[in-house]
């Protein structure tokens, strides 16, 4: 029997270089000492998103911006997508203990991603639910005890320092409650067509 898999949800997982990570951590942690972040009334995550959407370029992290744009190009090529000219929108996020982020998507972007600057046990997973409602309903009505590529309804990623996740912008994602003791710091970004 031949079984074909259709409608996959591709998540790119990679790491930035150690030198780049150290430069980014130093710049971001220094910036956080002198600049407050705000939480939107509907969220508990503190972010620079509402102030500016060009955080990476504003603090002069050109090597990170170039590295991320190259990763976005590699990701889109691996999916067989024609890669347009891209620019990066970016913002810094801080999850204090007990904070989380509700499900959302980034419909104005070509691709999306995040980079983790800190790592701690139980510090809020990045979650993706199966976006195909009909499949979710079928799995709900016909509970299948196995946990395979075809029966997953949710996928989660623990933050790991230096790890980058890249994903399609239409894919709803969220962050579970951060139960660590220290702040969970990450950079989020959208690759936008120029």
């Amino acid at each position: 029997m031949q079984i074909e898999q259709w409608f996959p949800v591709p998540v790119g997982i990679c790491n930035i270089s150690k030198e780049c990570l150290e430069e980014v951590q130093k710049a971001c942690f220094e910036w956080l000492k002198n600049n407050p972040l705000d939480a939107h009334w509907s969220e508990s995550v503190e972010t620079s998103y509402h102030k500016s959407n060009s955080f990476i370029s504003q603090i002069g992290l050109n090597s990170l911006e170039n590295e991320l744009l190259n990763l976005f190009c590699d990701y889109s090529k691996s999916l067989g997508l024609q890669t347009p000219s891209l620019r990066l929108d970016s913002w810094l996020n801080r999850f204090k203990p007990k904070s989380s982020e509700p499900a959302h998507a980034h419909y104005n972007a070509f691709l999306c991603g995040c980079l983790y600057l800190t790592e701690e046990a139980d510090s809020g997973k990045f979650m993706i639910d199966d976006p195909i409602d009909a499949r979710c309903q079928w799995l709900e009505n016909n509970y299948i005890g196995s946990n395979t590529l075809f029966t997953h309804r949710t996928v989660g990623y623990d933050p790991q320092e230096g790890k980058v996740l890249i994903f399609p912008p239409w894919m709803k994602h969220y962050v579970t409650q951060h139960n660590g003791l220290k702040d969970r710091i990450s950079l989020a970004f959208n690759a936008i067509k120029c």
Side-chain angles (χ1 to χ4, degrees):
M1 173 191 306
Q2 177 179 342
I3 297 176
E4 296 181 351
Q5 180 187 351
W6 292 96
F7 311 117
V9 179
V11 178
I13 305 167
C14 50
N15 289 297
I16 62 168
S17 66
K18 185 178 178 185
E19 300 78 23
C20 186
L21 176 62
E22 289 171 355
E23 176 191 358
V24 172
Q25 287 173 318
K26 182 179 177 185
C28 289
F29 297 158
E30 190 62 37
W31 188 90
L32 279 169
K33 288 180 187 175
N34 303 311
N35 297 279
L37 293 175
D38 300 322
H40 188 263
W41 65 269
S42 65
E43 299 179 344
S44 57
V45 59
E46 295 178 353
T47 181
S48 67
Y49 179 80
H50 305 291
K51 295 179 179 182
S52 166
N53 60 359
S54 58
F55 181 82
I56 289 173
S57 60
Q58 278 186 345
I59 66 169
L61 294 172
N62 298 333
S63 59
L64 174 63
E65 189 163 22
N66 292 334
E67 202 165 323
L68 291 173
L69 287 170
N70 287 332
L71 290 173
F72 277 121
C73 287
D74 291 346
Y75 172 89
S76 62
K77 283 178 191 173
S78 70
L79 299 182
L81 297 172
Q82 216 171 18
T83 307
S85 293
L86 298 171
R87 68 175 172 80
L88 216 57
D89 282 356
S90 57
W91 55 98
L92 187 66
N93 293 321
R94 175 173 50 206
F95 290 79
K96 291 189 176 273
K98 305 299 180 204
S99 62
S100 60
E101 186 171 28
H104 63 283
H106 300 244
Y107 296 112
N108 63 329
F110 177 68
L111 294 170
C112 299
C114 60
L115 163 64
Y116 299 106
L117 302 182
T118 60
E119 179 179 336
E120 184 183 9
D122 202 15
S123 62
K125 283 184 183 251
F126 176 90
M127 301 297 293
I128 302 162
D129 291 336
D130 184 342
I132 301 176
D133 290 334
R135 181 168 52 205
C136 292
Q137 283 298 319
W138 178 76
L139 288 169
E140 189 70 32
N141 294 332
N142 301 285
Y143 176 72
I144 298 165
S146 63
N147 197 10
T148 72
L149 182 64
F150 301 103
T151 61
H152 273 296
R153 285 182 265 175
T154 302
V155 176
Y157 296 92
D158 288 312
Q160 291 180 356
E161 199 174 291
K163 180 183 279 186
V164 176
L165 299 178
I166 300 174
F167 50 93
W170 51 262
M171 196 167 64
K172 287 204 172 180
H173 53 283
Y174 57 97
V175 177
T176 60
Q177 182 172 293
H178 167 39
N179 292 317
L181 301 175
K182 302 174 185 173
D183 290 349
R184 175 191 186 276
I185 310 294
S186 62
L187 280 167
F189 29 83
N190 289 336
I192 307 289
K193 290 182 184 180
C194 292

